[in-house]
Amino acid sequence: MQEERRLAVLRAIVEDYVSTEEPVGSKALVERHGLGVSPATVRNDMAALEDEGYIMQPHTSAGRVPTDKGYRLFVDRLTTVKPMSAAEKRAIATFLEGAVDLDDVVSRSVRMLSQLTRQVAMVQYPTLSRSTVRHIELVALTPSRLLVVLILSTGRVEQRVVDLATELTDLDLSDLRTRLNSAAAGPVIADAVEALRACVPPVDGATTAAVVEVLVDAMVDHRSDERIAVGGAANLARYGDSFDSAVRPLLEALEEHVVLLKLLGEASTGGLVSVTIGTEGPYEELSATSIVTTGYGPRDEAVATLGIVGPTRMDYPGTMAAVRAVARYVSRILDEA
């Protein structure tokens, strides 16, 4: 009973501090929250929480603020992530479903996530190595010149033009298209590359080899694996009181995509939302920030990560709900693409 009451006090302190941006005192807790106990009991609970390192007193005679340890307990003991409202869900669906290609999906996702959370949003482009081949299309531009179109499970589309040494009939083109799709469609990129190379005939295979060469070139192009879109940096203006400790280092980090990719971490599957608080992060200079991330991708396969980064004083339940919701909509779009 005492542990649950102290957890309720901690929860109230976190909620009040996030909303008011001011240290929280026992009198305010009693007035704002139905804790069902006297102010003296709340003061005792706050003293115990402070002794255990969950809250701290930033100034003499001031209220208390949560520590990283307090935020961690608060997040870990969330019974549920508060659901998005019907209006928010409709807004996300309408905004994201208007995307015309993968770049547009990523751009819209960043904007939507930064608007919902009022934090800095980050969306990693789908990692090529985790993609699978959805379809290979061959279009005859002339009898000896082909447009080769590679469509991946992530929605990425690669186009290459290849000149052939010999001309192809419509029947030859259809046969080649069928053989290439039978070999490559389905497995991950690395296996698809090997399967394509294996389907080149040892005799009279120059045409197949030429097409396979441009397909493999498109598949092993890892330039997009380190691409990341960022939006909502202006939201950091809300944290002017913690500029030197949180905002300045974060603004500097936004210039380094390698740093942001490390903050995003590995893509998580199954809709799991990961929360990294303060000193738990990979960079000491960003110890005053928190990161909320999750994986996204078609068919419940996480091929990349999206999330937000901001000062530790954030609305964790609302942010976690927004990150999860946007990831689900993006995954659905890629699944239906």
Side-chain angles (χ1 to χ4, degrees), residues 58-234:
H59 309 290
T60 304
S61 302
R64 307 301 194 273
V65 300
T67 62
D68 288 357
K69 183 179 178 181
Y71 283 126
R72 170 51 60 194
L73 181 61
F74 172 77
V75 170
D76 289 345
R77 294 296 293 271
L78 285 174
T79 53
T80 58
V81 175
K82 72 178 184 182
M84 305 292 289
S85 68
E88 288 172 325
K89 289 180 180 179
R90 283 194 302 272
I92 296 173
T94 301
F95 187 65
L96 295 183
E97 287 172 359
V100 296
D101 56 24
L102 180 60
D103 285 332
D104 199 13
V105 169
V106 171
S107 174
R108 287 171 180 254
S109 300
V110 163
R111 288 158 58 194
M112 174 56 70
L113 198 51
S114 66
Q115 289 171 10
L116 287 172
T117 63
R118 300 181 69 199
Q119 302 287 354
V120 177
M122 307 176 291
V123 178
Q124 178 190 10
Y125 273 74
T127 303
L128 185 60
S129 60
R130 297 183 185 179
S131 306
T132 59
V133 177
R134 182 167 290 178
H135 184 67
I136 295 171
E137 186 57 58
L138 305 178
V139 180
L141 303 176
T142 70
S144 61
R145 173 176 264 205
L146 295 181
L147 173 65
V148 180
V149 183
L150 173 67
I151 304 173
L152 301 180
S153 59
T154 56
R156 177 174 171 177
V157 178
E158 292 287 336
Q159 300 183 43
R160 301 284 194 279
V161 175
V162 55
D163 292 307
L164 307 175
T166 59
E167 295 185 354
L168 288 182
T169 66
D170 290 344
L171 184 59
D172 292 334
L173 185 63
S174 177
D175 176 64
L176 179 57
R177 182 189 297 114
T178 299
R179 284 190 292 115
L180 294 176
N181 276 292
S182 297
V188 294
I189 290 295
D191 294 337
V193 166
E194 294 303 315
L196 283 171
R197 285 174 171 156
C199 79
V200 177
V203 180
D204 297 328
T207 297
T208 303
V211 176
V212 166
E213 182 181 348
V214 298
L215 283 169
V216 169
D217 177 69
M219 290 180 181
V220 299
D221 181 359
H222 288 272
R223 288 173 300 176
S224 72
D225 283 8
E226 295 184 354
R227 291 179 65 193
I228 183 171
V230 180

Side-chain angles (χ1 to χ4, degrees), residues 5-6 26 38-51:
R5 191 183 68 236
R6 287 178 180 171
S26 57
S38 67
T41 300
V42 171
R43 284 194 293 274
N44 289 336
D45 287 339
M46 292 177 70
L49 289 169
E50 187 170 7
D51 289 341

